[in-house]
């Protein structure tokens, strides 16, 4: 028995990754993250968890989405979010700033403050953008859409340009995307979320890989 325990201990030392805890990914967002209007198992976070599990990634995705939240709301609850001790964070905020027509300068300042605090703790981030409609004018659209790639570059974090990319793809192909949306035409239905997860999943997987690379012992 003692010899067996010694052998097990040696295996654990030789392969520390085998005993590592799952990577904790906190998704900080609004109703798109929270899963508004969908059964719990069909929202963004559960479907992303299922995609990661199927792809063999040892990670736990924690839902920190709050329906109706703006970038200011995300910033205001950042202490609570960080209390979940994330290893990585998905930041997907801005949709409600758009719906309310809030000044992009304020949205940018809020995202800047979030990224500053999170990266100061060496937590890898995936910053997820969303396209602005043209009805607020070209200056608004330019400033809003520019803040995501510019902040990602400033803080050297990962950037995924468009949470709703599958819908945008259909629109740009001249097709209706209402089959992917709930009746409000704002929130994706379960099929829409599945396509979002398929599109964004590889970026989340890369984020998890970044965490594991940070944790890996330096080679001699």
């Amino acid at each position: 028995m003692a010899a067996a325990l010694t052998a097990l201990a040696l295996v654990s030392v030789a392969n520390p990754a085998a005993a590592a805890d799952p990577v904790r990914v906190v998704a900080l967002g609004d109703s798109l993250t929270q899963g508004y209007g969908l059964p719990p198992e069909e929202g963004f976070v559960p479907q992303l968890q299922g995609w990661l599990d199927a792809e063999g990634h040892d990670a736990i995705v924690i839902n920190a989405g709050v329906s109706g939240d703006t970038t200011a709301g995300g910033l205001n609850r950042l202490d609570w979010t960080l209390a979940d001790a994330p290893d990585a964070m998905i930041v997907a905020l801005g949709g409600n700033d758009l719906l309310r027509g809030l000044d992009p300068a304020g949205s940018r300042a809020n995202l800047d403050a979030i990224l500053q605090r999170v990266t100061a703790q060496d937590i890898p981030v995936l910053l997820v953008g969303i396209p602005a409609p043209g009805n607020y004018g070209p200056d608004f659209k330019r400033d809003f859409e520019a803040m995501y790639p510019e902040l990602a570059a400033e803080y050297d974090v990962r950037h995924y340009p468009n949470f709703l990319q599958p819908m945008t793809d259909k629109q740009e192909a001249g097709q209706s995307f209402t089959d992917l949306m709930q009746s409000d035409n704002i929130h994706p239905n379960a099929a829409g979320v599945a396509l979002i997860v398929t599109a964004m999943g590889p970026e989340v997987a890369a984020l998890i890989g970044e965490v594991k690379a940070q944790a890996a012992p330096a080679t001699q």
Side-chain angles (χ1 to χ4, degrees):
M1 176 64 74
L5 291 174
T6 300
L8 180 60
L10 288 173
V11 169
S12 298
V13 171
N15 185 19
D21 293 330
V23 175
R24 292 170 58 83
V25 181
V26 170
L28 175 65
D30 49 33
S31 56
L32 295 175
T33 302
Q34 183 266 335
Y36 175 88
L38 295 171
E41 68 277 7
E42 294 182 353
F44 171 73
V45 168
Q47 290 208 45
L48 178 59
Q49 182 72 66
W51 186 94
L52 292 170
D53 290 345
E55 293 292 319
H57 297 287
D58 189 17
I60 297 173
V61 188
I62 299 165
N63 194 340
V66 172
S67 185
D69 224 358
T70 61
T71 55
L75 176 59
N76 287 338
R77 60 188 176 88
L78 190 56
D79 286 338
W80 172 80
T81 304
L82 290 173
D84 266 328
D87 298 308
M89 187 175 292
I90 301 168
V91 177
L93 290 162
N96 288 303
D97 298 54
L98 274 180
L99 290 175
R100 301 179 189 185
L102 300 179
D103 185 353
S107 302
R108 182 182 185 122
N110 294 328
L111 289 174
D112 187 304
I114 290 171
L115 292 175
Q116 185 178 60
R117 288 195 55 197
V118 175
T119 57
Q121 298 189 27
D122 293 324
I123 299 171
V125 175
L126 174 62
L127 179 62
V128 181
I130 194 166
N135 56 304
Y136 294 121
D139 291 346
F140 184 103
K141 181 176 177 64
R142 179 200 63 218
D143 293 346
F144 187 90
E145 292 183 349
M147 68 184 180
Y148 292 104
E150 290 176 359
L151 286 171
E154 180 179 346
Y155 286 96
D156 192 24
V157 300
R158 295 181 180 276
H159 172 229
Y160 186 78
N162 183 0
F163 193 104
L164 299 173
Q165 189 63 54
M167 292 70 180
T168 299
D169 289 343
K170 292 195 72 172
Q171 183 180 43
E172 291 179 347
Q175 303 171 4
S176 170
F177 57 84
T178 55
D179 60 318
L180 303 178
M181 304 298 288
Q182 298 181 44
S183 59
D184 61 9
N185 212 35
I186 295 175
H187 299 92
N189 58 25
V193 171
L195 290 179
I196 289 169
V197 165
T198 298
M200 196 189 305
E203 286 295 328
V204 179
L207 183 71
I208 293 167
E210 187 176 340
V211 173
K212 292 184 175 180
Q214 286 183 351
T219 57
Q220 297 298 324

